[in-house]
Amino acid sequence: QAQLVESGGGLVQPGGSLTLSCTASRSIYNLNALGWYRQPPGKEREWVAGITTSGTPHWAPFAQDRFTVSRNRLQNAVYLQMNALKPEDTATYFCSAGTYARTLGEYWGQGTQVTVSS
């Protein structure tokens, strides 16, 4: 049984916007920080953003001015709104949950592909 399920990936033009969603099981949602990693083609997975159980967000430097992370307890969901997308944002994006918002990593979703291209 999948505990983290992402949706919302796709193809977007440079400068465009995209919102990723991740639905968590209730137990994972209530007890963990939630957030996102990404893995660009041929590169290592990197942390993008996380949000604590109390709603405090944290971002990697490359995401701070363009990405917004949020969570919704009624939906047991975490979101990543991405604006002003660049080709270098192309990656597989993974939802993750864990004790700390800046590391996450105890639970993983299956990943959703985001491609930024004209």
Side-chain angles (χ1 to χ4, degrees), residues 41-117:
K43 297 184 178 180
E44 294 186 354
R45 193 174 297 190
E46 60 183 354
W47 176 74
V48 177
I51 185 166
T52 67
T53 53
S54 61
T56 301
H58 301 271
W59 300 272
F62 66 81
Q64 191 161 4
D65 295 330
R66 299 184 295 124
F67 295 0
T68 300
V69 61
S70 60
R71 62 192 290 164
N72 183 321
R73 67 178 181 84
L74 296 179
Q75 302 292 331
N76 290 336
V78 60
Y79 306 97
L80 184 68
Q81 180 178 343
M82 303 183 289
N83 299 319
L85 284 162
K86 306 174 182 179
E88 51 264 44
D89 295 317
T90 294
T92 302
Y93 284 72
F94 296 89
C95 180
S96 185
T99 302
Y100 303 106
R102 290 186 176 272
T103 53
L104 306 169
E106 296 174 36
Y107 303 92
W108 293 95
Q110 81 284 359
T112 186
Q113 179 66 35
V114 172
T115 301
V116 184
S117 175

Side-chain angles (χ1 to χ4, degrees), residues 22-39:
C22 173
T23 302
S25 65
R26 182 172 297 178
S27 60
I28 288 178
Y29 183 91
N30 287 338
L31 298 177
N32 290 276
L34 299 168
W36 300 87
Y37 275 74
R38 72 182 186 182
Q39 187 166 15

